Amino acid sequence: MPISLADPDSEERLSAEERMKAREDFFRLMSHEIRTPLNGVMGMLSLLTKTPLSPDQASYVQTAQDSGEHLLTLVNDLLDYARMDAGRIALETTEVHLEPLLQSVAELLSPRAYANGIEVAWALDPRLGYIHADEGRLRQILFNLAGNAIKFTTNGGVLIHVGLTEAGLVRFSVRDTGAGIPEEARVRIFEEYGQVETSHATRYGGAGLGLVVVKKLVEAMEGTLTLESEVGKGSIFTVEFRAPYGLNQGATQTLSSNIVTLVSNNEILTEGAKSHLSAGDCQLMQVDRTDTPAAGVIVLADRAAFADGPAPAPCERALILLAPEQRDEIAAWREKGWAGYLIKPLRRSSLLERLDTLDDQETKIAPKPQNDDERIVSESAPNKTVLLVEDNPVNALLAQILLQREGCRVERASSGEEAIDIVKNNRFDLIFMDLGLPGIDGLGAVREIRAMGVRTPVIALTANAYEEDRRASIHAGMNDFLTKPIEITALRHRLQTWSGEQRAAKSA
């Protein structure tokens, strides 16, 4: 006879394993049921900001968005903590390539950083290529630490760094230039519901559980979590653990120009650029203003150094560094003589590629073909055909609008059975598959589709934001995982990764 959890005596009859499974199922259900309507609320508010609004209306919408973000943070923290408190944390070790991990974390957090008027950057020891660890848990640690740092930083920025200790341990650190943490609060913030100040829960949102979740994950990895902080100067959270790793052989790319000048007074942007250039055996010289450089010098200049807008280029080999939302200025900077641009947060590969191209131009060698950073294109997947499998009408409408704005032609299915029938007779460039479908769920549907020999990339679309769900999706035959509420940066990243040239390169 099935045991009802509504029966107060039933839990006593359950084994420890059954109780843990029941709690896991409950938290997974709560995650789905809470995040699904939140996806609709947050998504529709985002769409509303792109319509004509009066100043008062824009203010009301912004307030609603801020409240929604606070609610989402609270939900995530509470559910993550409750699930970890309910049972052991399972780790899955894979080969984790560090450059794409750091790049994706920084770029997904960058809208929050730029909204705060600060920079977010990443730095990676050029010797270090990959490690063997649980990528999902590492991503969660970085998101919690860096997201928390961005929340409390109003000047400067946040730097995510990965390297090796002298003892051969892998070290992940997140440094901010915020207000710092008083000594008496440094233990409290790692405790349940702990805040630096009690007013922070109201001012910034969240339940004070993000760092507790990080602490539990680090303990599961048998690592250490430490904090260094100085009031008025900022904080550094450091995670160290032992893991197998692979080293790069020599410089990633050797540049003819071994010194690059950066015009910026932001130390976080400078440190990130310096790390990227070291991978090309190149040094960085930082200056505060655009004085006329020496002949042959390459100049990188932060847009923040030009309060009055596009200005004449200081030399022929100068690149302007722009935030994604400043992409409409690109033509104006080119008209002022700038050789090109780079989008922040800086990507190591893009930076070295652009500098290499400028070297080729200086030495009269035909420049190598280069692609514009896809973060500045208005449509990330023009004319791509997408099958959207989503049963919730509000979330389906939202996802369809977001995909269409990226240039996709969208067909919708509302069940796993319908999706299977459509795929039998039609070809698509990409499939977005909700997991919680009626009848055959998303996992079952993708197994059926793969059994038919269909190799179309499939991306899980779900309100279940847990690592176990991501693993189940990949094991069932999906290629990637996208959580609700849908962030446009994450959506564009998936579209760019699994369509067109990038998909071909990834599959090669």
Side-chain angles (χ1 to χ4, degrees), residues 89-91 134-141 217 467-468:
I89 300 171
L91 299 177
D134 189 315
E135 181 170 0
R137 300 304 189 185
L138 290 178
R139 189 182 300 273
Q140 188 174 9
I141 288 170
L217 289 174
E467 180 62 17
E468 294 88 341

Side-chain angles (χ1 to χ4, degrees), residues 353-354 356-357 360-361 365-372 501:
E353 176 187 307
R354 293 299 170 89
D356 194 31
T357 299
D360 289 344
Q361 291 172 349
I365 299 173
K368 303 175 182 65
Q370 64 183 76
N371 296 321
D372 282 348
E501 295 180 3

Side-chain angles (χ1 to χ4, degrees), residues 8-27:
D9 297 325
S10 63
E11 188 167 350
E12 296 181 5
R13 296 197 297 270
L14 293 171
S15 67
E17 185 175 343
E18 287 172 329
R19 285 197 300 271
M20 186 178 299
K21 176 65 166 56
R23 295 183 71 178
E24 287 278 320
D25 290 345
F26 172 76
F27 292 130

Side-chain angles (χ1 to χ4, degrees), residues 386-392 396 400 410-423 432-434 437:
V386 172
L387 175 61
L388 172 63
V389 190
E390 170 65 77
D391 64 308
N392 183 285
Q400 184 169 341
V410 183
E411 183 169 347
R412 183 195 163 197
S414 57
S415 69
E417 292 88 345
E418 185 181 357
I420 293 168
D421 289 339
I422 291 175
V423 170
F432 283 87
M433 179 77 70
D434 183 36
L437 297 170

Side-chain angles (χ1 to χ4, degrees), residues 117-162:
I118 63 173
E119 295 288 341
V120 60
W122 58 273
L124 172 63
D125 185 332
R127 300 172 299 163
L128 194 54
Y130 64 86
I131 62 175
H132 287 275
D134 189 315
E135 181 170 0
R137 300 304 189 185
L138 290 178
R139 189 182 300 273
Q140 188 174 9
I141 288 170
L142 290 178
F143 265 113
N144 280 15
L145 290 178
N148 194 65
I150 288 170
K151 186 190 303 183
F152 295 103
T153 303
T154 56
N155 290 291
V158 173
L159 180 73
I160 306 168
H161 181 270
V162 177

Side-chain angles (χ1 to χ4, degrees), residues 57-75:
Q57 290 171 329
S59 175
Y60 301 153
V61 171
Q62 183 61 56
T63 300
Q65 283 187 301
D66 291 343
S67 298
E69 290 287 352
H70 289 176
L71 177 58
L72 182 60
T73 300
L74 177 64
V75 168

Side-chain angles (χ1 to χ4, degrees), residues 66-345:
D66 291 343
S67 298
E69 290 287 352
H70 289 176
L71 177 58
L72 182 60
T73 300
L74 177 64
V75 168
N76 288 341
D77 286 352
L78 286 172
L79 290 174
D80 275 344
Y81 172 74
R83 291 183 75 245
M84 290 180 183
D85 195 49
R88 66 183 182 86
I89 300 171
L91 299 177
E92 182 175 282
T93 300
T94 59
E95 186 174 283
V96 181
H97 291 270
L98 295 168
E99 183 173 338
L101 171 65
L102 296 176
Q103 177 179 298
S104 66
V105 169
E107 290 178 11
L108 288 174
L109 288 172
S110 64
R112 304 184 203 174
Y114 295 131
N116 269 14
I118 63 173
E119 295 288 341
V120 60
W122 58 273
L124 172 63
D125 185 332
R127 300 172 299 163
L128 194 54
Y130 64 86
I131 62 175
H132 287 275
D134 189 315
E135 181 170 0
R137 300 304 189 185
L138 290 178
R139 189 182 300 273
Q140 188 174 9
I141 288 170
L142 290 178
F143 265 113
N144 280 15
L145 290 178
N148 194 65
I150 288 170
K151 186 190 303 183
F152 295 103
T153 303
T154 56
N155 290 291
V158 173
L159 180 73
I160 306 168
H161 181 270
V162 177
L164 295 171
T165 70
E166 292 183 359
L169 299 178
V170 178
R171 172 187 288 153
F172 279 59
S173 68
V174 173
R175 180 169 77 86
D176 67 67
T177 56
I181 300 170
E183 187 171 357
E184 64 273 14
R186 292 174 195 171
V187 174
R188 185 168 66 245
I189 61 173
F190 291 105
E191 298 172 350
E192 286 84 348
Y193 314 108
Q195 303 273 1
V196 174
E197 298 178 16
T198 55
S199 63
H200 283 180
T202 302
R203 289 171 56 196
Y204 299 104
L209 291 172
L211 294 179
V212 180
V213 169
V214 169
K215 182 181 178 183
K216 287 181 176 291
L217 289 174
V218 173
E219 288 173 350
M221 295 164 57
E222 299 182 351
T224 60
L225 172 62
T226 57
L227 165 63
E228 299 174 49
S229 189
E230 185 174 350
V231 175
K233 293 191 175 181
S235 306
I236 305 176
F237 289 87
T238 302
V239 175
E240 294 182 357
F241 58 97
R242 190 166 298 282
Y245 57 84
L247 298 178
N248 294 317
Q249 301 300 317
T252 303
Q253 183 176 338
T254 302
L255 302 172
S256 300
S257 300
N258 59 7
I259 297 181
V260 172
T261 296
L262 172 65
V263 182
S264 174
N265 60 6
N266 189 292
E267 62 179 286
I268 295 300
L269 177 62
T270 301
E271 286 194 36
K274 185 181 297 183
S275 170
H276 295 340
L277 289 171
S278 67
D281 198 20
C282 184
Q283 297 180 353
L284 182 73
M285 180 175 68
Q286 186 265 335
V287 297
D288 292 332
R289 60 182 188 273
T290 55
D291 293 333
T292 303
V297 169
I298 293 178
V299 173
L300 305 176
D302 184 15
R303 171 64 178 84
F306 301 89
D308 297 328
C315 64
E316 292 183 353
R317 299 203 297 167
L319 300 173
I320 189 70
L321 310 184
L322 302 171
E325 62 268 21
Q326 295 166 334
R327 62 189 181 192
D328 57 342
E329 296 183 3
I330 290 172
W333 289 98
R334 287 193 185 280
E335 289 175 2
K336 295 290 186 178
W338 294 77
Y341 63 89
L342 285 163
I343 299 296
K344 302 183 293 183

Side-chain angles (χ1 to χ4, degrees), residues 382-458:
N383 297 317
K384 298 299 180 182
T385 57
V386 172
L387 175 61
L388 172 63
V389 190
E390 170 65 77
D391 64 308
N392 183 285
V394 174
N395 288 333
L397 175 62
L398 172 61
Q400 184 169 341
I401 292 172
L402 292 176
L403 288 167
Q404 288 172 339
R405 289 193 170 198
E406 297 304 312
C408 300
R409 291 180 282 119
V410 183
E411 183 169 347
R412 183 195 163 197
S414 57
S415 69
E417 292 88 345
E418 185 181 357
I420 293 168
D421 289 339
I422 291 175
V423 170
K424 286 179 181 177
N425 302 305
N426 299 273
R427 298 187 64 177
F428 296 91
D429 294 304
L430 206 56
I431 298 172
F432 283 87
M433 179 77 70
D434 183 36
L435 296 188
L437 297 170
I440 299 178
D441 65 9
L443 299 179
V446 79
R447 290 190 188 100
E448 291 280 347
I449 289 171
R450 293 299 186 226
M452 292 157 48
V454 176
R455 302 269 68 87
T456 304
V458 180

